[in-house]
Amino acid sequence: MKALVLQQQEGQVTSEIMSIPIEQLPAGDVIVDIHWSTLNYKDALAINGKAGVVRHYPMVPGIDFSGIVRHSEDPRFSVGQHVLLTGWGVGEAHWGGLATQARVPADYLTPLPENLSLRQAMIIGTAGFTAMLCVNALEDAGITPDKGEIIVSGASGGVGSTAVQLLSVLGYDVVAISGRPENSEYLQQIGAKKILPRSEFAITAKPLDKQHWAGAIDTVGGDILANILAQMQYSGAVAACGLAGSISLPTTVMPFILRNIRLQGVDSVYFPAAKRSSVWQRLAQLLPELFYTQITSEITLEQSVEYAQKFLNNQITGRTLVNLSYS
């Protein structure tokens, strides 16, 4: 198999594409021939040796993949079956998807929905799976389209752009926050009714501000989340799933107590295996065909290090697929 391998030498992380005997794959019940993977923000951090993402070395990064079962010791999966994987610490603590093969515990895998291709599954990927969980969280909080506008931060990224698309399909009026004016047309195409500049939210938040939003999906954290909280309508809800901006939350208890709002954390990494198929089925049902043809970059395994740096430089819009079929 061929893989991007990260190693640490004297505190410095290095990356190299290597040929590795299949026997060296970590323990697991199922071996998958990987056809597609993606680059996500967490992958970019890992490849560039940032933020302590990788738990031990050597490590193959890549937090998600889709492919075909080559070998299975678990009766739930058969040779030739199409599967996908997101989360479970893969690419952090267990070798991940930036490789032509992976061996993983069977519990990590989800059968591919019948109406999705392997490529489409990775256009959705971890980002889309997380976005769907955020939308579900708002619905569980009683935020229906008639309640008012939903604001989405980091709207040009993978989670944010998929959230905008999903909310629009479900009939919500979506407001997008973006720090990149050149993406305004793209965001409108996928369903945003308005686009607000990130600079309006990247300031010190008031404890309470004018009420605007019935619901919110935040992928950034920090001052942006604090400002969103201060602007929530009474009984509003925020689904928070990201910390690309900051892990801090410089706010007070006032929005929660005086406006009765809910802040719901959303984790996609360890979301229960038994519930994953229904989430993927809903994604396959809701996302229009146009979603799969909009801004998606397709790269080779050899380009992954270059594109990982572009992620950290905020030069990536939409989804970045890694084609491993011909590696």
Side-chain angles (χ1 to χ4, degrees):
M1 59 166 283
K2 186 161 74 170
L4 176 66
V5 180
L6 306 181
Q7 301 193 69
Q8 191 174 54
Q9 300 174 350
E10 299 180 355
Q12 297 295 313
V13 174
T14 62
S15 59
E16 182 182 359
I17 294 175
M18 302 174 62
S19 293
I20 301 171
I22 294 178
E23 294 75 25
Q24 290 187 17
L25 286 169
D29 309 303
V30 184
I31 297 176
V32 179
D33 289 332
I34 300 174
H35 285 228
W36 298 94
S37 186
T38 66
L39 276 181
N40 297 276
Y41 185 71
K42 188 179 286 187
D43 299 318
L45 292 174
I47 291 169
N48 286 282
K50 306 288 187 181
V53 172
V54 174
R55 317 284 176 78
H56 56 81
Y57 295 90
M59 178 57 60
V60 176
I63 64 173
D64 51 14
F65 64 76
S66 63
I68 300 175
V69 174
R70 168 184 283 254
H71 172 80
S72 176
E73 299 175 5
D74 188 288
R76 290 172 292 176
F77 296 97
S78 57
V79 174
Q81 185 173 359
H82 290 209
V83 295
L84 62 90
L85 180 148
T86 63
W88 302 112
V90 169
E92 304 170 66
H94 189 101
W95 285 13
L98 292 180
T100 56
Q101 289 180 326
R103 179 160 53 198
V104 297
D107 286 341
Y108 290 6
L109 295 172
T110 300
L112 187 76
E114 290 184 2
N115 49 343
L116 276 186
S117 69
L118 292 172
R119 186 178 189 274
Q120 287 174 326
M122 283 299 99
I123 293 175
I124 298 170
T126 291
F129 184 69
T130 305
M132 188 78 260
L133 294 179
C134 289
V135 172
N136 289 348
L138 294 185
E139 291 178 332
D140 291 344
I143 308 302
T144 51
D146 61 293
K147 295 291 178 64
E149 293 178 322
I150 310 296
I151 193 163
V152 178
S153 70
S156 294
V159 178
S161 59
T162 310
V164 170
Q165 179 81 85
L166 288 167
L167 289 165
S168 176
V169 169
L170 289 166
Y172 291 89
D173 288 332
V174 186
V175 177
I177 300 173
S178 177
R180 300 168 65 184
E182 67 272 18
N183 289 337
S184 294
E185 183 178 353
Y186 162 65
L187 292 170
Q188 290 171 336
Q189 288 174 350
I190 63 174
K193 297 293 180 66
K194 290 188 289 189
I195 295 95
L196 298 179
R198 184 173 58 201
S199 58
E200 290 187 8
F201 295 82
I203 57 176
T204 301
K206 301 175 183 177
L208 287 176
D209 208 336
K210 186 177 180 180
Q211 298 182 47
H212 289 289
W213 323 115
I217 294 175
D218 175 66
T219 71
V220 181
D223 287 328
I224 289 177
L225 176 55
N227 276 283
I228 288 172
L229 290 168
Q231 296 175 12
M232 295 303 297
Q233 294 178 13
Y234 191 87
S235 292
V238 179
C241 65
L243 39 76
S246 175
I247 62 172
S248 68
L249 182 54
T251 189
T252 72
V253 298
M254 291 178 69
F256 306 102
I257 296 173
L258 299 183
R259 291 188 179 160
N260 195 45
I261 67 169
R262 177 187 299 189
L263 175 60
Q264 175 68 55
V266 174
D267 167 64
S268 65
V269 176
Y270 296 107
F271 189 77
K275 298 181 179 181
R276 289 186 178 230
S277 287
S278 62
V279 177
W280 278 99
Q281 290 290 349
R282 194 174 190 211
L283 280 161
Q285 174 189 358
L286 288 177
L287 289 171
E289 190 63 32
L290 186 62
F291 172 81
Y292 303 106
T293 62
Q294 285 166 330
I295 296 182
T296 300
S297 301
E298 186 175 314
I299 65 173
T300 64
L301 181 62
E302 287 75 12
Q303 293 174 289
S304 55
V305 173
E306 172 193 350
Y307 274 73
Q309 186 58 54
K310 289 184 178 182
F311 258 95
L312 300 189
N313 294 341
N314 196 28
Q315 296 174 313
I316 299 293
T317 298
R319 301 288 288 139
T320 302
L321 294 184
V322 184
N323 187 343
L324 292 151
S325 300
Y326 305 106
S327 293

